[in-house]
Amino acid sequence: MNAPSDNYRHQGLRRRLVEVLRKRGVIDEAVLAAIGSVPRHLFIDDTAFLSMAYEDTAFPIPCGQTISQPYTVAIQSELLGLMPGHRVLEVGTGSGYQTAVLAHLGCKVFSVERHKPLYLQTKDRLARLGIRAALFHGDGYAGLPKEAPFDRIIVTCGAPEVPERLVEQLRTGGRMVIPVGEGEVQRMLLVHRDQQGALIRLDKGAFRFVPMLKDKAV
Ligand code: SAH
């Protein structure tokens, strides 16, 4: 395979995408810088969509899944209030684009994907791009108890409810962003575990995600 290429044209398109996200209300400069740096075109396999890699839209990826829309990636990252060094659990690795944004923000990322072909392909892709993240093939409902607790948890598929086992893996003072809802549209919930261990839930609006599936990893 050829070495991944990222040229001035791609960089220019990313700068434009960052301005689009700014206009849509993204304010976290570190998140915007990460979106401005991660080569999203290298996370899209279907050449039919390559020319649209820097449009603010979702695209199909293998196994019937989607690479999240840049606005969604930015908002989920912003809501998490990420700091370099945070241990972050991601459920739904997919293409690895959100994983790469988290890694660019200096987080130590642990990401779980239930589709084996996606897990394998993304592991290879991140390695080729020199992006460090610990990837796992498994069921995100179980989280990663061996790596817990996490400072932050991000779920990138629509869950029917907030999974109890993920809440258990959130550090006191930690935050989770998770789209919750069984239909085509979910509510983005920000779940905060306060110093007493109580959970505070905030509704951050409507988003669309592929579903978080309950059966075992495939
Ligand atoms: N962040 C990814 C989003 C991919 S779509 C990106 O930007 O590319 C959501 C992903 O969640 C899909 O790859 C899907 O296979 C995965 N998923 C769904 N249910 C899951 C589960 N229970 N455990 C782990 N991954 C799951």
Side-chain angles (χ1 to χ4, degrees):
M1 188 179 270
N2 293 330
S5 94
D6 185 40
N7 60 34
Y8 284 119
R9 192 174 70 84
H10 299 124
Q11 288 158 25
L13 290 169
R14 279 203 293 282
R15 275 198 294 278
R16 222 168 61 188
L17 173 61
V18 165
E19 289 320 308
V20 168
L21 298 181
R22 238 187 249 287
K23 285 207 182 79
R24 292 200 63 184
V26 178
I27 53 172
D28 186 323
E29 288 298 331
V31 169
L32 290 167
I35 302 260
S37 297
V38 177
R40 189 168 186 255
H41 64 285
L42 300 179
F43 291 77
I44 295 170
D45 311 290
D46 190 335
T47 48
F49 294 107
L50 264 182
S51 63
M52 290 165 75
Y54 294 104
E55 303 288 319
D56 188 21
T57 49
F59 294 104
I61 59 173
C63 304
Q65 305 304 315
T66 56
I67 177 171
S68 298
Q69 183 181 349
Y71 175 70
T72 305
V73 170
I75 288 294
Q76 286 198 284
S77 304
E78 181 168 290
L79 287 173
L80 283 173
L82 297 161
M83 303 287 282
H86 270 162
R87 290 169 64 85
V88 181
L89 169 64
E90 178 187 31
V91 173
T93 315
S95 68
Y97 177 65
Q98 171 80 70
T99 319
V101 168
L102 295 169
H104 195 276
L105 287 160
C107 300
K108 191 161 171 31
V109 191
F110 301 83
S111 187
V112 191
E113 170 57 51
R114 77 183 268 281
H115 277 293
K116 190 138 196 202
L118 270 178
Y119 155 76
L120 290 171
Q121 186 190 44
T122 299
K123 203 173 159 70
D124 177 59
R125 166 181 290 135
L126 294 182
R128 271 188 293 120
L129 294 175
I131 294 164
R132 287 173 66 111
L135 302 192
F136 299 82
H137 172 234
D139 178 11
Y141 276 94
L144 291 172
K146 283 194 190 137
E147 306 292 347
F150 298 98
D151 299 295
R152 301 290 186 258
I153 298 178
I154 175 171
V155 178
T156 73
C157 36
E161 77 280 314
V162 179
E164 194 49 45
R165 296 192 64 188
L166 294 187
V167 172
E168 286 165 7
Q169 293 173 36
L170 195 59
R171 188 187 291 286
T172 300
R175 292 186 195 185
M176 164 162 40
V177 278
I178 176 167
V180 173
E182 301 211 63
E184 284 202 352
V185 180
Q186 296 83 31
R187 305 300 302 181
M188 185 70 77
L189 297 189
L190 176 60
V191 181
H192 179 216
R193 183 195 270 279
D194 75 9
Q195 294 304 327
Q196 284 70 46
L199 296 181
I200 299 155
R201 292 167 174 236
L202 297 172
D203 185 327
K204 296 293 179 176
F207 287 80
R208 277 171 193 272
F209 284 84
V210 293
M212 181 170 181
L213 296 174
K214 262 210 161 128
D215 48 347
K216 64 181 182 356
V218 286

